[in-house]
Amino acid sequence: MSETRVFLLPDLGEGLTEAELVSWHVAVGDTITVDQPIAEVETAKSTVEVPSPYAGVVAELHGQPGETLDVGKPLISVTPVSVGGAAADAAAPAEPVAEPAETELGGPLDEPAGTPAQAEAEAYREEEKAGSGNVLIGYGTPGGHGVARRTRARKASSTGSVSTLPLEDGAADGGPAEGADVDLSLLRTRVPGRLGAVISPLVRRMAREHGVDLGGIPGSGEGGLIMRRDVEAAISTPAVEERAVAAPRPAEPAPVSVPAEPRQSEAQGVDARTGLGIAARTPVKGVRKVVATNMARSRSEIPEATVWVDVDATGLMELREGLKSGSDQVPGLLAFIARFVTAGLKKYPELNTRIETAEDGSQEIVSFDGVNLGIAAQTDRGLVVPSVRAAEKLTARELDAEIRRLTDVARQGKATPTELGSGTFTLNNYGVFGVDGSAAIINHPEVAILGVGRIIDKPWVVNGELAVRKVTELTLTFDHRVCDGGTAAGFLRFVADAIENPKALLADL
């Protein structure tokens, strides 16, 4: 057996110092390939699958779901399979399997050192060291030479038969004979005694953690396939009897409670300050911790100021209604306002900058050739701000499509680090919550954020007469280090005028 290699948790392209481990895709004893997803971690408002740069047998998992890991600390230990060693004999396939995508440690064991497969795996690791970003940001190398399949090294019996697999891995005792016409990749995921019921690793893991006997569950999928919903249904239904275990199982770690739940065991006692009983203690972690850290830094570092103005949005509403009569695809109001914002930032570029502080304490205002417009979006996982890159080059229709796409992937937790961390100015539509205004906190390291309140009917003076108009409130919070009130007011008035008289501005766009 070769020397165990330790894979350290890398920077996931966001410059963060830690990440929360959401779940493992592998277990100790699993045989993995290069580029196979091994874990899911949650970082600055996004969930990322981490692929392995090594192939071999999983020796140790450095952390449990819900635990926060520091970047640069061990994530997983992998033991490469030695050529001609005992582990190699155990991992050798029972019959030929043509898998050209296998790498140095997942391919034929008699392959000599220095083969193309080994060179490819080594180049992969060198690319990851060079910071190409392909490993984590793109979820794997372009060639996709790894097979995202969870397998275990099979145990040879005393007679040398390899027709059965460990019960842990779902193979039946006395399973298919060595020469049976069965795909080994499916055999590794079957339920004992039920060769037609193929189960995903995540479903097997869920069943293990809840003590569910997969042999007694009818599969609702095609061909009797046991799905996640089948296991969830079994979990919710009290078991009538305990089934005998057919073979000894490796010791499993105790199930880890969901990290978001309050620690009820620590919820006892009385608060010394208030005299009230403590109901629960909820750790600040994950997305909430990232938001809290960023907001606290913004408030402590940025000398912010806020200006606001009421705006008659009737003209913009009428313009959009007019467009509806001639087209089915009409941009939303937020897309029009986003277009006005990018035009305003072109006229007032001070608000599309960033303050950088050198080690000696000196500061610079960094200006940008373009606008990456952040769109604040509330999700089940917390507040996220995906950004529309080069927003100044897009039309209102193009902005509308991109805003909808970004908010959708953000709410699904699938936004990439680049989409979440590249904004230069933020637009926040808090009117969807039914409020008029907000003293927003700037999304550090940006220097300004524009908020849009709800649009409601209000009395408004038009040409000396009182009328009912569609009115909203715009609120601009800005960093007073990059500009003075005159610049901020000029930008805010520019956007307000565009909303009140959109036809005049659109003629110049």
Side-chain angles (χ1 to χ4, degrees), residues 157-402:
S157 65
S158 59
T159 61
S161 172
V162 290
S163 62
T164 61
L165 298 174
L167 182 63
E168 167 82 39
D169 212 27
D173 287 337
E178 208 170 311
D181 185 18
V182 179
D183 186 346
L184 288 183
S185 66
L186 298 183
L187 180 60
R188 294 187 178 98
T189 59
R190 285 177 173 153
V191 180
R194 299 177 60 202
L195 297 180
V198 182
I199 309 167
S200 77
L202 293 182
V203 173
R204 294 204 313 276
R205 179 174 178 272
M206 178 186 294
R208 276 202 314 271
E209 291 181 348
H210 292 86
V212 175
D213 183 1
L214 296 173
I217 300 178
S220 62
E222 182 179 356
L225 182 69
I226 296 180
M227 311 295 289
R228 179 173 180 173
R229 58 177 176 267
D230 300 323
V231 177
E232 290 175 340
I235 294 172
S236 61
T237 304
V240 177
E241 61 178 355
E242 288 289 329
R243 292 182 175 266
V245 179
R249 300 166 60 99
E252 293 289 341
V256 181
S257 60
V258 179
E261 293 182 355
R263 299 192 299 253
Q264 299 297 338
S265 60
E266 299 180 15
Q268 305 301 324
V270 177
D271 178 57
R273 178 179 176 274
T274 63
L276 299 176
I278 299 176
R281 294 181 183 272
T282 304
V284 179
K285 59 197 308 183
V287 173
R288 177 50 50 199
K289 181 178 180 180
V290 173
V291 172
T293 300
N294 196 39
M295 295 299 101
R297 182 178 182 183
S298 177
R299 273 285 162 89
S300 63
E301 291 186 10
I302 299 177
E304 62 186 32
T306 303
V307 291
W308 60 92
V309 64
D310 289 336
V311 182
D312 180 5
T314 307
L316 180 58
M317 299 282 285
E318 291 175 346
L319 173 65
R320 187 169 182 272
E321 288 299 320
L323 293 174
K324 283 184 178 180
S325 61
S327 175
D328 295 333
Q329 297 181 346
V330 179
L333 292 174
L334 188 63
F336 281 110
I337 297 176
R339 189 65 188 92
F340 302 153
V341 166
T342 58
L345 291 175
K346 183 178 180 180
K347 187 174 182 179
Y348 299 94
E350 297 92 337
L351 296 172
N352 188 51
T353 59
R354 182 177 67 226
I355 290 280
E356 287 189 356
T357 304
E359 294 182 357
D360 61 0
S362 61
Q363 293 184 325
E364 291 181 333
I365 298 177
V366 181
S367 302
F368 303 106
D369 184 17
V371 178
N372 287 351
L373 184 62
I375 305 295
Q378 188 68 44
T379 73
D380 294 338
R381 300 169 56 250
L383 179 66
V384 296
V385 189
S387 60
V388 180
R389 298 175 67 84
E392 80 283 357
K393 298 179 181 179
L394 304 181
T395 65
R397 280 193 175 89
E398 292 170 334
L399 283 169
D400 183 71
E402 184 64 2

Side-chain angles (χ1 to χ4, degrees), residues 24 115 138 236 259 302 332 355 358 445 460 483:
W24 286 108
T115 60
S236 61
I302 299 177
I355 290 280
W460 197 265
C483 68

